[in-house]
Amino acid sequence: MKTISIIGGGIGGLTTAIALDQREFEVQVFESAETWKPVGAGILLGENALTVFERLKIKDQILQKGWAIKGGGITDEKLKTISSLATSELVAIHRADLHQILLDNLGDAKIHLGKRFTSSQVADYGRIKAFFEDGTRVKSDILIGADGIHSQVRKQLFPNTVYRKSGQICW
């Protein structure tokens, strides 16, 4: 059985862990936070995200905690409407509620808190060895970086990545 290590226990990391666990991979998630805390604000889930959650059989739980959005719009900086949108496939949910739903549906995936990723290297037989600040070393067949915008995994693989401001805001 392939072992998969996911760096990052946010929405992307936990969703990936659920999907892989449901396909019977051995999955472990390494999160830098020492404890789970209800953080963040609202998040808007579009049709693509809801399709994923439906396939993972957790869409109904999300709909129970969230709110269906019937429409929205894109405006300029003076709030003049550029385009409007009517839909029934958008759901607003508090990030902490979505995170808890994901945690509740992890199956056999293992969570390791307080594990700050520092680097990785190819180990024996093509496996990947991940290193953490506390001295922990883990070997797996696949390493997935889901550690956010300031990803340490991405920095190691693509050290010349440059951030750019998109000039967009959402509220």
Side-chain angles (χ1 to χ4, degrees):
M1 176 186 316
K2 295 275 187 197
T3 59
I4 301 173
S5 295
I6 299 172
I7 308 300
I11 293 168
L14 294 180
T15 301
T16 303
I18 292 168
L20 293 169
D21 178 73
Q22 288 180 1
R23 282 146 189 86
E24 300 184 4
F25 288 97
E26 184 180 322
V27 180
Q28 48 187 342
V29 177
F30 296 89
E31 168 58 41
S32 62
E34 298 286 333
T35 61
W36 296 119
K37 296 178 188 173
V39 296
I43 184 171
L44 190 63
L45 302 175
E47 185 175 356
N48 56 348
L50 293 172
T51 298
V52 169
F53 292 134
E54 183 172 30
R55 289 184 181 166
L56 297 177
K57 301 186 181 359
I58 59 175
K59 180 179 175 182
D60 288 344
Q61 295 171 55
I62 291 168
L63 293 174
Q64 288 174 358
K65 282 283 191 175
W67 299 269
I69 303 295
K70 302 295 182 195
I74 298 174
T75 68
D76 65 14
E77 68 278 357
K78 298 191 187 297
L79 301 181
K80 179 181 173 197
T81 300
I82 296 171
S83 67
S84 295
L85 144 79
T87 181
S88 61
E89 284 297 320
L90 292 174
V91 173
I93 188 170
H94 194 282
R95 189 176 294 271
D97 289 337
L98 177 57
H99 199 255
Q100 189 60 55
I101 290 168
L102 296 172
L103 284 169
D104 292 343
N105 285 278
L106 275 175
D108 292 329
K110 306 285 186 285
I111 298 284
H112 305 277
L113 297 174
K115 299 295 179 190
R116 187 170 303 280
F117 173 85
T118 57
S119 64
S120 64
Q121 69 184 36
V122 177
D124 53 333
Y125 305 104
R127 299 187 85 209
I128 307 295
K129 187 184 288 185
F131 300 90
F132 299 87
E133 274 185 3
D134 67 358
T136 301
R137 297 174 180 197
V138 176
K139 284 185 188 177
S140 55
D141 295 301
I142 298 170
L143 178 72
I144 296 174
D147 51 334
I149 192 166
H150 301 291
S151 170
Q152 294 303 309
V153 176
R154 182 180 57 243
K155 283 180 186 176
Q156 182 184 348
L157 294 172
F158 307 103
N160 297 322
T161 299
V162 178
Y163 297 102
R164 66 171 176 78
K165 289 194 177 233
S166 68
Q168 300 176 346
I169 59 170
C170 180
W171 55 275

